[in-house]
Amino acid sequence: MKTYRVIAKDNLEAGQHTWTKGLDYEVVEKTDYFTLASNEGSLNYFNEVKNAVLENFKVTEVN
């Protein structure tokens, strides 16, 4: 498992989840998917879309 922090590059929306430009959020990578924290909770994505999703964020801290 890999955990790191990302900062939203813009205000973003995906369904009922939102991310605020400039705020940081946690990403937790698992074997087949990753979890991205949002203002409302968290959202799971399959790894196949990881690059497309994370292009909207700047990685700041990797553990």
Side-chain angles (χ1 to χ4, degrees):
M1 183 170 70
K2 181 178 175 183
T3 304
Y4 51 95
R5 307 293 292 177
V6 295
I7 295 176
K9 293 179 181 177
D10 290 300
N11 290 329
L12 305 166
E13 293 183 26
Q16 297 179 351
H17 292 271
T18 61
W19 296 267
T20 304
K21 180 179 181 177
L23 293 184
D24 68 323
Y25 299 92
E26 182 179 62
V27 175
V28 179
E29 288 187 13
K30 307 283 180 125
T31 303
D32 297 330
Y33 67 97
F34 67 99
T35 301
L36 172 61
S38 74
N39 294 328
E40 291 71 29
S42 63
L43 203 56
N44 293 332
Y45 289 100
F46 287 110
N47 285 335
E48 290 82 13
V49 299
K50 183 172 77 171
N51 290 338
V53 171
L54 293 183
E55 73 182 18
N56 297 295
F57 297 87
K58 177 183 176 186
V59 176
T60 61
E61 178 184 323
V62 178
N63 297 323

